[in-house]
Amino acid sequence: MAGIFIKSEREYLREICAKIDSGEYAIPVFQRDYVWKKEQILELFDSIFKGYPIGSVMLWHPQEDLKSKDILTDEIREQPVPSYYILDGRQRLTTFYGCISKREKKDIFKLSYNLETESFEYARKERLEVMLVSDIYDTFVMLEKLQHILSVVDNPEKRRKYVENARRLNSVLQGYVIGEMLLDGCSLDEASIVFTRINSKGTDISKTFMLQAISYKQENGLLLSKEIEGILRSLQPYGFDKLSQDDILNCFFRWHSGK
């Protein structure tokens, strides 16, 4: 571990998203899946909008080939080795990227902003004063949407308010800066240890994904979480498919300890 080098940087979130798109930044295969709920997404964007710090991210420069996961779907994919893997901050970066991206995505990433109340929400129906965050983030799309609003809203005060609020959010999203710690000079095993030590004091992480992080080996590509998912599917006919992955892991541990 003596050779590990850590450098601190600051970077725009928009630039990080561009690097995710280009494959320069990627999610390592042993990372836990995306687990955030809508309440956490709303809180993150509210913090960004108000200029609150949302914490830094840690990026790891790999020294060997390693599969990665798609940031939105968690599907394993083959691709060239990226410049950096996202070691810590995956949930925050996935949230921001998912909500501003134009990619096909799950409903949880279809976050909207209410131009009237100046608040984030999950819109149940289409309303003139509610715009998708991804539409506001894209300046050209935002201007097109605002042009439509200006053509149908008669009240000049309301028109001015909607335009100003949309432009303000666009400016915040485009200009938000986050801290980065760049981890270099370490192997996959050492990076996994750093990952587990970071997450042991951060957001709750399941035993399964913690064990997966420290046990993953590129040679066999075994992912503990995927193996347990297979076990849960096999238990579906017996009504036990709703058990948690940690429950299955505990059963195996107790069975093995009792031998």
Side-chain angles (χ1 to χ4, degrees):
M1 299 287 283
I4 291 182
F5 174 69
I6 299 178
K7 180 173 66 172
S8 296
E9 300 281 358
R10 289 179 65 78
E11 190 164 25
Y12 290 106
L13 271 177
R14 70 169 187 271
E15 293 179 352
I16 293 177
C17 290
K19 290 177 179 178
I20 291 171
D21 272 332
S22 68
E24 190 174 347
Y25 287 177
I27 305 294
V29 70
F30 59 75
Q31 262 276 26
R32 58 177 165 159
D33 292 344
Y34 185 73
V35 298
W36 270 22
K37 307 298 183 185
K38 288 183 177 180
E39 294 76 15
Q40 292 166 294
I41 293 175
L42 289 166
E43 183 177 331
L44 178 75
F45 272 86
D46 184 64
S47 294
I48 290 173
F49 182 66
K50 292 176 179 175
Y52 298 160
I54 60 171
S56 60
V57 298
M58 179 170 280
L59 306 170
W60 165 52
H61 179 66
Q63 296 180 324
E64 60 250 75
D65 291 344
L66 183 66
K67 291 179 181 178
S68 61
K69 301 197 297 186
D70 183 89
I71 192 168
L72 295 186
T73 66
D74 280 311
E75 294 177 357
I76 299 174
R77 59 183 188 180
E78 305 280 353
Q79 67 175 28
V81 179
S83 297
Y84 285 97
Y85 284 112
I86 299 167
L87 201 61
D88 183 51
R90 182 268 158 94
Q91 303 295 320
R92 284 165 287 155
L93 291 184
T94 300
T95 295
F96 186 83
Y97 177 83
C99 290
I100 62 92
S101 175
K102 288 296 185 180
R103 285 180 51 185
E104 188 69 29
K105 53 196 175 186
K106 301 174 183 176
D107 288 344
I108 197 169
F109 295 122
K110 295 177 181 177
L111 182 65
S112 296
Y113 185 70
N114 191 312
L115 300 174
E116 180 67 39
T117 62
E118 301 178 58
S119 60
F120 296 95
E121 64 178 61
Y122 284 93
R124 295 183 179 179
K125 61 180 181 179
E126 207 171 306
R127 306 196 311 277
L128 184 67
E129 71 276 14
V130 177
M131 291 176 62
L132 284 170
V133 168
S134 57
D135 287 342
I136 296 178
Y137 179 83
D138 187 320
T139 305
F140 293 106
V141 175
M142 178 193 71
L143 292 175
E144 183 181 330
K145 298 281 186 181
L146 288 177
Q147 196 64 40
H148 172 66
I149 290 176
L150 292 174
S151 68
V152 297
V153 175
D154 294 328
N155 187 316
E157 184 63 27
K158 185 163 289 192
R159 290 166 61 183
R160 181 191 60 79
K161 177 180 180 180
Y162 288 175
V163 170
E164 287 184 358
N165 287 344
R167 286 179 172 172
R168 185 183 304 115
L169 178 57
N170 172 271
S171 177
V172 169
L173 296 179
Q174 292 288 341
Y176 195 86
V177 175
I178 192 171
E180 290 180 328
M181 289 186 288
L182 309 180
L183 183 65
D184 207 342
C186 64
S187 66
L188 171 60
D189 287 343
E190 290 170 328
S192 297
I193 292 172
V194 173
F195 168 79
T196 55
R197 289 187 179 180
I198 290 169
N199 280 284
S200 66
K201 296 181 176 65
T203 303
D204 288 344
I205 182 171
S206 71
K207 298 174 186 175
T208 304
F209 277 102
M210 189 72 79
L211 184 57
Q212 176 171 283
I214 61 176
S215 64
Y216 178 80
K217 299 296 180 184
Q218 179 69 5
E219 303 84 65
N220 57 31
L222 179 66
L223 285 172
L224 185 60
S225 62
K226 299 300 181 184
E227 296 298 318
I228 294 180
E229 284 176 7
I231 293 172
L232 288 171
R233 283 195 297 271
S234 70
L235 293 174
Q236 187 173 10
Y238 308 102
F240 292 107
D241 56 308
K242 300 303 181 184
L243 290 171
S244 71
Q245 290 205 359
D246 283 354
D247 288 335
I248 299 297
L249 189 63
N250 287 334
C251 287
F252 273 102
F253 175 77
R254 289 172 182 170
W255 173 78
H256 186 270
S257 300
K259 290 186 67 177

